[in-house]
Amino acid sequence: MSEAQEIAVYYRHFDLPANFPVIAMLGDKWVSRPEPIRWIHFHNCLEIGFLFEGSGLFYIDGETVPVEGPCVTVIPQNVRHLVRSAEGSLCHWNWLFVDPAQLDPNMDSQTSVALNRLFQTLSAADCVFPAGEYPQVYALMEMILWEMGADLPFRQDLVRGLLSGLFLLLLRRGGSSVSSRPVRQGMTSIEPAISYIADNYMHEISVGTLAELCHVSQSHFRRLFKQVLGWAPQEYLETVRVARACAMLYNGDRSVTEIAAGVGFPSPSSFNRQFRRIYHMSPSQWRRKMRGEKNPAVTAYFDVSPATTMQFVPREGGAREAER
């Protein structure tokens, strides 16, 4: 995928439980298909993919990497990515979303520093772990997913230990190829602003505050932000707010006015205006439409997940929830 292509960039937020910051997407409904690339996304946490079968391409921050099951993929926080199946193939996935620092706050400081450095410098090719070349990584991930789907004693303790082992295997491998363009290039410069918006989107946020966090002038920050994400900072902030509002609309019965205030819009009219800009319908219309559509995979996922875990990606007035 060429950097010159007009590809929309979206932020997907996962509310990881504080006491056990791990969320798993399990089952056989998570499928990527051979479709045109119109958008790409990034997360607020580490994403680990488990590809059962199928082949395709991973688009990772402007680079293209082939993937073929069985394999494990590792996408660090704030790395733009998307996977698409090859023509004639369907990729079947399970996914894990985790915050390594919160998972093990007592992690040895040297290990923690090394892990952070690894995630910041992984080349795109180093994000893919074929099962044949890395059987231990694949086997550990298989065990983790099995435990996440089981309701057995000591499940959380076992998953913590297995994930710690997985992280150590990643460190052992390190970056096998030296990339002239690290995965996080571009995003790194605006990451403080992205993280601040993720934590404070419900409050008033000025461009000056974001620029100061990134240690650049406001004019330079505006240019840089637009260059990396394709959006002005305020437009991106409003899109994040709308994305957070969608989960609230889908999951609960709070009024549109309450949701607008809860995600940081100054008035219901401004919320409605920005919502229509993205979804081409009002928040109330969107809620009725999404709840009325038969979407068993997404509904089942919402039933067992925290209230604002899954975010929706705009797609011509609809949504693309069950695909990665």
Side-chain angles (χ1 to χ4, degrees), residues 11-16 23 25 43-45 47 97 244 301 308-311 324:
Y11 171 69
R12 285 184 172 178
H13 186 95
F14 287 83
D15 285 324
L16 303 178
I23 288 176
M25 289 178 165
H43 301 291
N44 61 312
C45 53
E47 172 190 294
F97 298 90
R244 302 291 281 155
Y301 180 68
T308 58
T309 292
M310 190 62 175
Q311 296 304 308
R324 304 292 313 141

Side-chain angles (χ1 to χ4, degrees), residues 70-83:
C71 73
V72 172
T73 61
V74 177
I75 305 295
Q77 175 188 19
N78 291 337
V79 170
R80 297 169 295 178
H81 66 282
L82 191 71
V83 65

Side-chain angles (χ1 to χ4, degrees), residues 3 80 190 220-231:
E3 285 288 338
R80 297 169 295 178
I190 63 170
H220 181 63
F221 174 75
R222 291 179 189 274
R223 288 194 300 270
L224 186 62
F225 202 95
K226 180 75 172 180
Q227 178 183 348
V228 174
L229 289 184
W231 283 336

Side-chain angles (χ1 to χ4, degrees), residues 103-132:
L103 183 74
D104 185 4
N106 298 316
M107 182 183 298
D108 176 78
S109 59
Q110 290 185 330
T111 302
S112 178
V113 169
L115 198 60
N116 287 332
R117 184 181 298 117
L118 175 68
F119 291 149
Q120 290 172 2
T121 58
L122 275 178
S123 70
D126 286 326
C127 291
V128 180
F129 295 78

Side-chain angles (χ1 to χ4, degrees), residues 200-234:
N200 299 278
Y201 64 89
M202 70 292 295
H203 304 302
E204 184 178 350
I205 299 176
S206 69
V207 172
T209 297
L210 299 176
E212 185 176 349
L213 288 168
C214 297
H215 306 291
V216 294
S217 67
Q218 290 191 38
S219 58
H220 181 63
F221 174 75
R222 291 179 189 274
R223 288 194 300 270
L224 186 62
F225 202 95
K226 180 75 172 180
Q227 178 183 348
V228 174
L229 289 184
W231 283 336
Q234 185 63 30

Side-chain angles (χ1 to χ4, degrees), residues 118-297:
L118 175 68
F119 291 149
Q120 290 172 2
T121 58
L122 275 178
S123 70
D126 286 326
C127 291
V128 180
F129 295 78
E133 297 179 45
Y134 302 96
Q136 292 174 305
V137 171
Y138 189 83
L140 268 180
M141 187 60 179
E142 193 171 34
M143 293 173 65
I144 291 167
L145 292 173
W146 189 91
E147 287 291 341
M148 288 297 294
D151 186 17
L152 296 174
F154 311 113
R155 178 178 69 96
Q156 292 189 6
D157 291 334
L158 274 168
V159 170
R160 288 180 194 275
L162 292 169
L163 277 169
S164 294
L166 180 65
F167 296 149
L168 291 175
L169 285 177
L170 298 184
L171 284 174
R172 177 184 290 176
R173 176 212 185 171
S176 61
S177 62
V178 178
S179 171
S180 59
R181 184 171 181 272
V183 168
R184 298 187 66 181
Q185 186 176 13
M187 288 293 289
T188 303
S189 55
I190 63 170
E191 183 180 352
I194 295 295
S195 297
Y196 187 83
I197 289 173
D199 293 336
N200 299 278
Y201 64 89
M202 70 292 295
H203 304 302
E204 184 178 350
I205 299 176
S206 69
V207 172
T209 297
L210 299 176
E212 185 176 349
L213 288 168
C214 297
H215 306 291
V216 294
S217 67
Q218 290 191 38
S219 58
H220 181 63
F221 174 75
R222 291 179 189 274
R223 288 194 300 270
L224 186 62
F225 202 95
K226 180 75 172 180
Q227 178 183 348
V228 174
L229 289 184
W231 283 336
Q234 185 63 30
E235 185 182 15
Y236 172 78
L237 170 61
E238 290 168 349
T239 302
V240 169
R241 287 171 171 168
V242 168
R244 302 291 281 155
C246 282
M248 297 181 188
L249 288 164
Y250 188 98
N251 286 281
D253 294 317
R254 294 172 65 186
S255 70
V256 171
T257 299
E258 289 176 314
I259 290 174
V263 299
F265 283 100
S267 67
S269 61
S270 62
F271 174 46
N272 186 71
R273 183 171 58 253
Q274 293 303 326
F275 200 97
R276 284 183 178 276
R277 175 179 66 84
I278 296 174
Y279 284 100
H280 311 296
M281 66 181 75
S282 72
S284 297
Q285 289 170 329
W286 185 92
R287 171 184 264 169
R288 288 194 297 269
K289 173 179 168 58
M290 291 307 301
R291 287 184 175 181
E293 290 182 348
K294 294 186 180 299
N295 213 328

